[in-house]
């Protein structure tokens, strides 16, 4: 395949990946909004696993990941990674359409600010030279430290008094970090299977342990994102997309000898991109006029992005979005047992 055709195929696969992730995010957020909290959260995970909507979201996430990996096979990282940021741009109108409302001007501004910051961050965080894989000892240290950080974020200890919106962003941060660490550990597992891991040749149980850790962090990231969408769609999705490459960049710089492109200027550019993205997240949080709770009460706000119960019923009656119906986005006639995962 010639380079031009490969680049075109990489762009197409990247757009497919972004669409898959966007549909999955909308499906998860509508599921979170349409399901009231169960007393004490008992049986939440079991109820979630019994929902067809949840498995549609899992399948869409998997399809998005496969399309992303295929895009990286045909195109460079510097092209594919920024296109992945289009997930947020696609999810906003999809969520608003399912809720029978328009995306507000503030939400579009927030999406553009976040997109600009994310693209800038990805552009300078790629390795200046090919990085090595983590050793087994480093992998275990990273996994342990990440587990502690995720536990603190998921418990709400690092969010202060931000309420549901603050806790949602904490869950979103934890989700992105978990996914980023899973990616770094996947690189280590690939090196272990190729017998090219730093240090001694890994034993079978060490390789199996890496596979278990990857599965745990990947699953945890998916479940944490489900909990994050209880506070809305746009802001948590933006935070997930930001914290994922940020976590990978921290591991690369701290342990793999990687560095920001352009040296010291790269560090300044990364800091500036982070501030731009943070501005976008703030706008997205305020874009609809409130949190998921406010949206559920007024039909606006972040909760309206993912659709309130009444809005979901209207969408179901009018036929709604064909792709949304395929993905199981329409709310059920009878409200199910709540499925919140935390809080």
């Amino acid at each position: 395949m010639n380079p031009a055709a490969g680049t075109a195929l990489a762009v197409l696969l990247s757009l497919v990946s972004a669409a898959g992730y966007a549909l999955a995010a909308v499906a998860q957020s509508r599921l979170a909004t349409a399901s009231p909290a169960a007393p004490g959260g008992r049986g939440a995970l079991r109820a979630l696993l019994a929902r067809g909507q949840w498995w549609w979201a899992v399948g869409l996430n998997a399809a998005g990941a496969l399309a992303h990996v295929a895009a990286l096979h045909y195109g460079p990282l510097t092209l594919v990674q920024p296109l992945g940021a289009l997930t947020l741009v696609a999810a906003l109108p999809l969520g608003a359409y399912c809720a029978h409302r328009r995306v507000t001007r503030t939400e579009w501004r927030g999406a553009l600010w976040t997109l600009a910051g994310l693209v800038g961050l990805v552009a300078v965080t790629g390795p200046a030279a090919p990085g090595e894989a983590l050793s087994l000892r480093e992998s275990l240290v990273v996994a342990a430290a990440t587990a502690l950080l995720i536990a603190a974020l998921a418990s709400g200890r690092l969010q202060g008094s931000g309420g549901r919106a603050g806790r949602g962003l904490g869950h979103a941060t934890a989700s992105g970090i978990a996914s980023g660490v899973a990616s770094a550990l996947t690189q280590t597992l690939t090196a272990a299977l190729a017998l090219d891991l730093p240090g001694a040749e890994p034993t079978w149980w060490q390789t199996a342990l890496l596979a278990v850790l990857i599965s745990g962090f990947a699953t945890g990231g998916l479940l944490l994102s489900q909990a994050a969408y209880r506070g809305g769609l746009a802001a948590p999705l933006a935070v997930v997309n930001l914290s994922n490459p940020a976590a990978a960049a921290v591991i690369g710089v701290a342990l793999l000898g990687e560095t920001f492109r352009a040296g010291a200027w790269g560090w300044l550019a990364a800091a500036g991109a982070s501030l731009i993205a943070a501005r976008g997240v703030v706008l997205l949080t305020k874009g609809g006029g409130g949190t998921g709770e406010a949206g559920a009460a007024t039909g606006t706000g972040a909760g309206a992005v993912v659709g309130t119960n009444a809005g979901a019923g209207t969408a179901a009656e009018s036929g709604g979005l064909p792709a949304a119906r395929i993905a199981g986005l329409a709310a059920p006639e009878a409200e199910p047992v709540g499925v919140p995962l935390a809080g």
Side-chain angles (χ1 to χ4, degrees):
M1 182 179 293
N2 62 65
T7 300
L9 184 56
V11 170
L12 177 61
L13 288 169
S14 297
L15 295 177
V16 171
S17 174
Y21 282 134
L23 279 171
V26 174
Q28 286 183 262
S29 60
R30 288 181 67 83
L31 178 59
T33 304
S35 303
R42 292 186 295 272
L45 180 58
R46 182 169 52 191
L48 179 66
L49 297 179
R51 294 294 302 278
Q53 285 176 284
W54 165 252
W55 291 109
W56 273 111
V58 171
L60 287 166
N61 271 307
L66 290 174
H68 180 74
V69 171
L72 288 173
H73 177 73
Y74 291 104
L77 181 67
T78 51
L79 171 68
V80 174
Q81 284 293 91
L83 288 174
L86 293 176
T87 298
L88 176 62
V89 178
L92 267 179
L94 276 173
Y97 186 89
C98 292
H100 281 229
R101 73 173 188 89
R102 293 184 178 182
V103 181
T104 67
R105 186 174 300 178
T106 302
E107 286 172 327
W108 278 125
R109 286 173 52 208
L112 291 176
W113 276 82
T114 305
L115 185 63
L118 181 56
V119 171
L121 192 62
V122 170
V124 298
T125 54
E132 299 179 353
L134 296 172
S135 67
L136 285 170
R137 177 177 296 180
E138 289 172 336
S139 297
L140 293 177
V141 171
V142 167
T146 303
L148 292 175
L149 178 58
I150 289 174
L153 288 167
S155 66
R157 295 174 183 173
L158 301 183
Q159 283 85 58
S161 58
R164 173 173 287 191
R167 173 163 286 192
L169 295 183
H171 287 146
T173 304
S175 173
I177 291 174
S179 299
V181 170
S183 298
L185 294 179
T186 299
Q187 185 183 32
T188 300
L189 178 62
T190 302
L193 293 174
L195 302 181
D196 193 29
L197 196 67
E201 183 176 320
T203 61
W204 68 268
W205 67 265
Q206 291 172 325
T207 304
L209 178 60
L210 280 173
V212 170
L213 288 174
I214 292 168
S215 300
F217 281 114
T219 303
L222 189 60
L223 295 175
L224 285 164
S225 67
Q226 177 65 50
Y229 292 136
R230 290 165 54 199
L233 170 64
L237 181 59
V239 171
V240 168
N241 280 274
L242 286 168
S243 54
N244 187 322
V250 169
I251 293 173
V253 171
L255 298 175
L256 299 180
E258 297 177 356
T259 184
F260 290 110
R261 293 190 177 98
W265 289 107
W267 286 88
L268 291 175
S274 299
L275 291 175
I276 291 173
R279 168 66 174 166
V281 172
V282 171
L283 288 173
L284 288 171
T285 304
K286 299 178 179 179
T291 65
E293 291 175 312
T298 66
T300 60
V305 176
V306 298
T308 61
N309 295 342
T314 304
E317 291 174 1
S318 61
L321 185 66
R325 295 203 305 275
I326 294 174
L329 302 187
E333 295 181 3
E335 293 299 330
V337 178
V339 294
L341 300 177

